[in-house]
């Protein structure tokens, strides 16, 4: 059996098992192409969070990283939530602990805590409200406090600071993929594609954001490219998004800002792991009830905005 035939067979098995288990597949925009192609919903963190909270089904198969599956488990406590690549973690989420956040809250008792969804359930439980890259500015401006402890992404916190009069205290966390994109790479890409529109993710460094034409979440980038009359784009985020752009905007040319913009954890999912997860209903992601209850409040306060 060659590779293509084998993949087609696994896709058929996944479709059968999905029906048997009454399962839905939620897939992040950075996932491998073959995993995106079998998704019920492909999206960014906000879109997938909303889907986890509202979609029918007994089983959620989350093709992403650990904090995303945790978020789904928090929002759907009566559903079985599976993370096919159990070892797929988010390094940024590991850059802050609940204990560290509690210390920050003690130092700034009058501040609200805005927590990026790229964080553990424990950290969300210590937060007032969550945000995603697509709604961070809206969330920051929604809280009544004038001082914000923003965790864990310093770059997203600094980006939100541009659009608010509130004082943001950013945590020193970062995305290892976006943070290593440099202005030199921007200049090189612009020289290679002088007519292209540059779109970057707000997890990028401020000096990269300053050079961009548009700053958007992954799904925002897709909307911009598809709606634009321009034909060429430089894409400053994890390169898994290029597969979806090619499918949804086939008449556009999209170039990666950096060929090294690869999240190894996002690439740990594959078709075999998805099939095996549906067969065994493992690895299952659960969150202790007391933590889930507190974290759910922070997530739901975001979702109603």
């Amino acid at each position: 059996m060659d590779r293509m035939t084998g993949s087609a067979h696994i896709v058929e098995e996944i479709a059968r098992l999905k029906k048997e288990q009454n399962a839905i597949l939620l897939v992040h925009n950075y996932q491998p192409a073959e995993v995106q192609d079998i998704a019920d919903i492909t999206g960014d963190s906000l879109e997938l969070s909303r889907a986890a909270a509202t979609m029918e089904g007994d089983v959620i198969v989350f093709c992403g990283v650990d904090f995303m599956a945790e978020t789904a488990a928090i929002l759907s406590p009566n559903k079985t939530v599976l993370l096919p690549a159990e070892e797929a973690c988010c390094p940024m989420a590991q850059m802050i602990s609940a204990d560290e956040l509690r210390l920050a809250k003690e130092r700034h008792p009058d501040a609200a805590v805005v927590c990026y969804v790229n964080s553990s359930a424990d950290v969300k439980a210590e937060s007032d409200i969550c945000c995603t890259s697509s709604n961070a500015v809206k969330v920051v401006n929604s809280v009544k406090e004038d001082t914000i402890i923003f965790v864990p992404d310093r770059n997203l916190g600094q980006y939100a600071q541009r659009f608010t009069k509130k004082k943001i205290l950013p945590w020193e966390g970062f995305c290892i993929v976006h943070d290593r994109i440099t202005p030199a790479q921007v200049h090189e890409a612009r020289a290679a594609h002088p007519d292209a529109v540059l779109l970057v993710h707000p997890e990028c460094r401020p000096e990269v954001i300053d050079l961009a034409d548009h700053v958007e979440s992954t799904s925002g980038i897709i909307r911009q490219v598809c709606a634009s009359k321009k034909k060429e784009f430089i894409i400053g985020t994890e390169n898994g998004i290029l597969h979806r752009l090619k499918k949804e905007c086939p008449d556009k040319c999209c170039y990666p800002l950096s060929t090294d913009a690869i999240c190894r954890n996002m690439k740990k999912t594959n078709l075999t792991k998805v099939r095996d997860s549906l067969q065994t209903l493992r690895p299952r992601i659960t969150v202790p009830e007391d933590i889930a209850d507190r974290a759910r409040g922070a997530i739901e306060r975001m979702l109603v905005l």
Side-chain angles (χ1 to χ4, degrees):
M1 186 183 293
D2 62 34
R3 184 180 176 190
M4 290 299 293
T5 304
S7 295
H9 179 66
I10 294 173
V11 169
E12 288 178 2
E13 287 188 271
I14 289 170
R16 175 180 59 80
L17 289 163
K18 269 181 56 184
K19 190 173 182 180
E20 287 180 5
Q21 304 286 12
N22 192 24
I24 57 172
L25 262 62
L26 304 183
V27 178
H28 193 272
N29 290 322
Y30 296 158
Q31 285 286 291
E34 68 271 17
V35 178
Q36 291 190 40
D37 287 343
I38 62 169
D40 292 307
I41 292 184
T42 307
D44 61 15
S45 293
L46 181 59
E47 290 171 323
L48 298 178
S49 293
R50 291 190 187 281
T54 59
M55 284 190 73
E56 296 296 324
D58 299 319
V59 176
I60 295 173
V61 183
F62 216 116
C63 299
V65 292
D66 50 2
F67 77 82
M68 297 178 178
E70 276 191 343
T71 301
I74 290 165
L75 291 173
S76 303
N78 297 320
K79 295 180 182 178
T80 299
V81 177
L82 307 175
L83 181 66
E86 186 176 24
E87 71 281 14
C89 65
C90 173
M92 183 203 296
Q94 297 177 332
M95 293 178 186
I96 184 170
S97 68
D99 286 341
E100 289 171 323
L101 179 51
R102 280 190 285 268
L103 284 173
K105 289 164 66 176
E106 289 176 10
R107 294 191 189 107
H108 304 281
D110 296 326
V113 178
V114 173
C115 174
Y116 192 21
V117 292
N118 298 40
S119 56
S120 68
D122 289 351
V123 170
K124 290 181 176 72
E126 292 294 330
S127 303
D128 295 298
I129 189 169
C130 288
C131 74
T132 69
S133 58
S134 61
N135 66 10
V137 173
K138 185 176 184 179
V139 168
V140 163
N141 285 317
S142 75
V143 301
K144 66 180 186 298
E145 289 82 359
D146 292 325
T147 302
I148 309 290
I149 300 169
F150 193 99
V151 297
D153 185 2
R154 68 180 179 220
N155 291 331
L156 184 58
Q158 289 168 343
Y159 177 71
Q161 183 68 80
R162 299 174 184 227
F163 303 96
T164 185
K165 294 180 179 179
K166 298 175 187 291
K167 181 180 180 181
I168 293 181
L169 307 174
W171 193 260
E172 282 299 311
F174 56 90
C175 168
I176 60 175
V177 174
H178 291 103
D179 194 66
R180 65 183 176 218
I181 294 174
T182 66
Q185 289 174 316
V186 173
H187 297 312
E188 184 179 345
R190 284 215 189 263
H193 309 289
D195 297 324
V197 177
L198 174 62
L199 300 102
V200 305
H201 195 280
E203 288 179 14
C204 289
R205 289 173 174 261
E207 56 267 32
V208 171
I209 285 174
D210 288 342
L211 298 172
D213 296 310
H214 300 282
V215 182
E216 296 281 357
S217 69
T218 54
S219 290
I221 288 172
I222 293 165
R223 286 191 294 272
Q224 282 275 356
V225 171
C226 290
S228 176
K229 294 180 180 178
K230 300 284 188 176
K231 293 296 183 182
E232 292 185 281
F233 302 85
I234 300 165
I235 306 300
T237 189
E238 208 276 347
N239 290 336
I241 196 176
L242 295 172
H243 176 70
R244 188 170 169 199
L245 283 166
K246 188 174 182 179
K247 287 179 66 176
E248 298 199 15
C249 314
D251 59 324
K252 309 291 176 72
C253 292
C254 295
Y255 313 107
L257 173 54
S258 168
T259 55
D260 295 327
I262 303 294
C263 176
R264 297 187 184 280
N265 283 285
M266 279 287 188
K267 301 300 188 270
K268 289 180 177 178
T269 315
N270 58 43
L271 293 177
T272 301
K273 289 180 179 177
V274 173
R275 179 201 60 194
D276 293 349
S277 186
L278 280 164
Q279 283 179 333
T280 62
L281 295 184
R282 282 181 172 52
R284 183 172 182 180
I285 303 301
T286 59
V287 179
E289 189 174 350
D290 58 329
I291 292 172
D293 286 345
R294 293 160 58 212
R296 189 177 301 114
I299 299 167
E300 289 179 343
R301 282 188 281 277
M302 170 188 75
L303 292 176
V304 300
L305 288 179

